[in-house]
Structure formats: structure tokens, C-alpha cells
Amino acid sequence: MKKVFGFLVALVFVAAFGFTLFYLYGKSQQAPVTFETEPPAVSDIVQKTVATGSVVPRREVEIKPRISGIVGELLVEEGDLVRRGEVVAKIRVVPNMVALNEAENRLALAEITLENAKRDLERNRPLAAEGTIPESALQRFELDLATAEEAFRGAESNLQIVKEGTTSSAEASKPLATATIEGMVLEVPVEVGNSVIEANTFNDGTTLLTVADMDEMVFEGKVDESEVGKLELGMEMLLTVGALEEERFQARLEHIAPKGVEEDGAIQFEIRAAIELTDGQFLRANYSANADIVLDRRDQVLAVREALLQFDDGGDPFVEVETAPQQFEKRPVELGLSDGLTVEVLGGVQDGDRIKDPGSAAAAG
């Protein structure tokens, strides 16, 4: 019995030892690694930079009153189209009491002077006809009357200006605000009853409304100093408007600021581009937009994904080309233009080669 028990113990020990050896051997055998491959492709490569900004009208003007007063009537509202010279608002003048009193006194004095000049002329005209007084004396009385009449008319006009802000003979001084350009009303920041101030040496004046030509829009944005040196006037731009994601707008660069400004620790340069609107396209003022600016491009060239490139210790690029199934040959390559994802290959590989993807390693089976 003891022999049988000892035999079983020995058998179990040998079996456990053999299983351990088999397990360790299996763990030491690594599965073969395979790599995916792909050929170079003929494609277009476009190198571009992105500028952020907004869409604004090229011509946008503020309409201001010619006189100070109170808005009596607004004849337009936002979105209306106006013609140049069209009346857009009426201003009601609130007279200054001191100026009004002075104007009334001046008119009364001018009226007294005028009546006196008339009496003097009527009294001396018969005397001149009889030869009692010389003709030159009569001419003096006629001149006094003409002067008094002119002074009376001036006093009347002055009183009318103080009371109404206008005269019947001066179109420019009428209390009417007119559009100075043809376009669309973008904003009306005042309401009927608001007080307004005319533009003068010490004040810009109150803005009645803003008018812009919406047929000629421009993109205004900023680019970083690291990119501005690559820009040239006349470059093509493709605008993407945040509110119109499915539409694209063509533009052409027409201005690059000669001086940059610092924003958040970086130097930014302002740029402006003319937007080429087609029939049916409409852009609202101050839409936010991004502009893709084409810096350089290559059409229909042999290219590979940048993920396929590898670099030796000296920083020179190379790829591994498949010569047999899962057997690769190292080849240095000459690179051209890159868009960040795809790079032009000037030499080292040919159309039809299979290039190893170093990031696709996977165990077989």
C-alpha cells in the first residue's frame, strides 16, 4: 500500500513539473507581428492658414442730426432700404428761452427802424421832386430803407431759426435728417421723443441711425505674426460663416496691416478681404467667420500620409517599402509640400509601392 501511495505522489509531482515546463515554453513563444501597408496616392495638397474675424460692410455711415432738438418722427426702421438724400427722421427744435427773447426783441427793434425809414422816405420824396433837397439826400433815405428792410428780414429769419430750427429760404438748415448714402438701415438707436445733439467741435453728435451698402461686404480678421509673412495681396480665401455652415464664400485678400497689435501675449496683424458675392447670396453685418487662406498648393502630385514617415537619428525622413510579404526595405525619401496630414513625395517611392504603417503593428492569430 505504501508503495502505491508513493508511486501516486511521484506521478503527481512529475505531471505538475511537466505542465509547468510546457506553460513556460508557451509563454516564451511570441506571436508574429504583422503591419498594415498602403500605397502612395495622387492627390491635391493645399497648405493654408486660418484667420478668425467677422463680415462687415465696406461702407457703413452714421446719420446725425444737423440741429439739436427732440426726435419728432422716424420714417425708417431696421432693414429698410434708403436712397441717398431720402428723409429718414424729423427733428423738433426746443427753443432756448433766452435766445428766443433776444430774437423777439431784435425783430421788434428792426420793425421800428423799418417803419421809421419808410416815413422818412415818404416825407422827403416830394421835397426831392420839388427840388427842395438834392437827389443825393433822397438816395440816402432810400438806402436807409433798404438797410432797414434787410435787417427786418434777418431778424425774422433769426426768430424762426430759434423757434423752429429752420428758415423758409435755407434748405440746409431744415430739421430733417437725410441719408448720405444708398443702402440698408442696420440700426436705429434712438426713439421718438429722444433728445439729440448736432455734431460740433466738442461733441460727435447723436447717431440717429446707421446705413450700410450690403452689396459690398468685406472680411476683417487677424492672423498671427508667424503666418503673416507668408501672405500676399491677392491671395484667394474661402470663408466659412458660423451662421451659414453649409455655404462657402470666395474672397480675395486686399489689405495686410503694416503694424501688429499684442493680444493675449501674441502679436496679431489685421487683414481685410473683399468678398465675392454671387446672385442670391446675402450676408448680414457682423457675422462671425473663419477664413482659410491658401498659402501654397500642389495639384495631382504623389503623396503619402505623414503617419507613414519615420526619421533616423539625424532627422532625415524615410519609409519602409514592402519587398515581400511582411518584409520591408528602408528607403530615404525627399519631401515637398505638406498640409499637416499629407505630404508630397518628390523621390524615394513610386506609385504602386506598399509602405509600412509603423503604427499598425498587431499580433497574428
Side-chain angles (χ1 to χ4, degrees):
M1 187 66 181
K2 292 181 178 180
K3 291 182 178 181
V4 174
F5 180 75
F7 176 76
L8 291 175
V9 172
L11 183 62
V12 172
F13 179 77
V14 172
F17 181 74
F19 177 77
T20 301
L21 292 177
F22 179 77
Y23 177 76
L24 293 176
Y25 175 78
K27 291 287 290 182
S28 65
Q29 299 298 311
Q30 296 182 353
V33 177
T34 60
F35 292 90
E36 295 181 3
T37 61
E38 62 180 80
V42 176
S43 63
D44 298 336
I45 299 178
V46 180
Q47 187 183 64
K48 59 187 179 181
T49 187
V50 178
T52 59
S54 59
V55 175
V56 297
R58 184 182 295 278
R59 299 181 63 201
E60 180 176 335
V61 299
E62 296 178 344
I63 308 300
K64 299 181 183 294
R66 295 171 179 166
I67 58 174
S68 299
I70 294 176
V71 179
E73 186 177 358
L74 289 171
L75 305 179
V76 296
E77 60 182 19
E78 296 174 357
D80 288 349
L81 296 176
V82 296
R83 299 183 303 275
R84 183 176 181 180
E86 180 179 345
V87 177
V88 295
K90 295 182 179 180
I91 308 300
R92 179 165 53 88
V93 176
V94 178
N96 180 280
M97 297 308 298
V98 174
L100 179 61
N101 183 64
E102 291 179 352
E104 290 176 343
N105 291 339
R106 178 182 172 185
L107 179 61
L109 181 60
E111 185 176 7
I112 294 173
T113 303
L114 176 61
E115 293 299 327
N116 185 62
K118 287 181 179 179
R119 285 194 297 268
D120 285 345
L121 180 61
E122 292 300 325
R123 185 171 57 250
N124 288 280
R125 182 175 284 129
L127 298 177
E130 296 173 358
T132 305
I133 61 174
E135 187 69 22
S136 60
L138 181 65
Q139 292 176 355
R140 180 169 55 81
F141 289 117
E142 291 176 343
L143 177 61
D144 290 343
L145 177 61
T147 302
E149 289 176 342
E150 187 63 32
F152 180 77
R153 285 193 293 269
E156 276 188 324
S157 297
N158 182 65
L159 179 59
Q160 187 176 6
I161 291 174
V162 172
K163 293 174 63 176
E164 304 175 10
T166 182
T167 64
S168 57
S169 60
E171 289 293 326
S173 64
K174 286 186 178 296
L176 305 175
T178 58
T180 55
I181 65 170
E182 181 175 344
M184 178 180 291
V185 178
L186 299 185
E187 184 181 10
V188 184
V190 298
E191 297 181 358
V192 173
N194 286 159
S195 297
V196 294
I197 302 174
E198 63 178 314
N200 53 56
T201 306
F202 306 101
N203 196 299
D204 289 338
T206 305
T207 299
L208 295 174
L209 59 143
T210 303
V211 179
D213 182 2
M214 301 299 286
D215 292 330
E216 193 172 0
M217 307 293 288
V218 296
F219 168 81
E220 291 184 352
K222 294 181 179 180
V223 296
D224 189 79
E225 61 179 330
S226 61
E227 301 288 350
V228 72
K230 303 174 185 177
L231 303 183
E232 294 181 2
L233 297 181
M235 280 185 166
E236 296 180 1
M237 301 171 61
L238 188 64
L239 297 185
T240 303
V241 178
L244 307 171
E245 296 181 354
E246 297 182 358
E247 287 193 71
R248 297 294 182 269
F249 300 87
Q250 296 290 334
R252 190 170 297 278
L253 187 62
E254 65 177 20
H255 172 74
I256 305 172
K259 179 182 178 180
V261 295
E262 184 175 353
E263 292 185 3
D264 299 327
I267 303 299
Q268 302 288 322
F269 287 81
E270 184 176 317
I271 62 171
R272 184 178 67 244
I275 302 175
E276 301 171 0
L277 294 176
T278 60
D279 292 340
Q281 286 185 322
F282 175 76
L283 288 173
R284 301 182 186 276
N286 287 352
Y287 266 154
S288 60
N290 293 329
D292 292 332
I293 307 174
V294 178
L295 302 176
D296 201 355
R297 67 180 301 149
R298 300 288 187 273
D299 295 327
Q300 295 299 294
V301 295
L302 194 65
V304 299
R305 289 192 305 115
E306 289 200 355
L308 303 181
L309 298 178
Q310 303 182 61
F311 297 88
D312 58 22
D313 295 338
D316 296 325
F318 69 90
V319 295
E320 294 185 71
V321 178
E322 188 176 41
T323 56
Q326 292 301 301
Q327 294 184 14
F328 302 96
E329 176 186 64
K330 176 180 176 181
R331 290 187 188 174
V333 290
E334 183 181 356
L335 304 179
L337 187 67
S338 171
D339 62 6
L341 297 176
T342 306
V343 60
E344 177 187 11
V345 178
L346 301 177
V349 295
Q350 299 177 353
D351 192 13
D353 288 342
R354 303 291 301 185
I355 301 174
K356 170 183 172 181
D357 184 353
S360 64

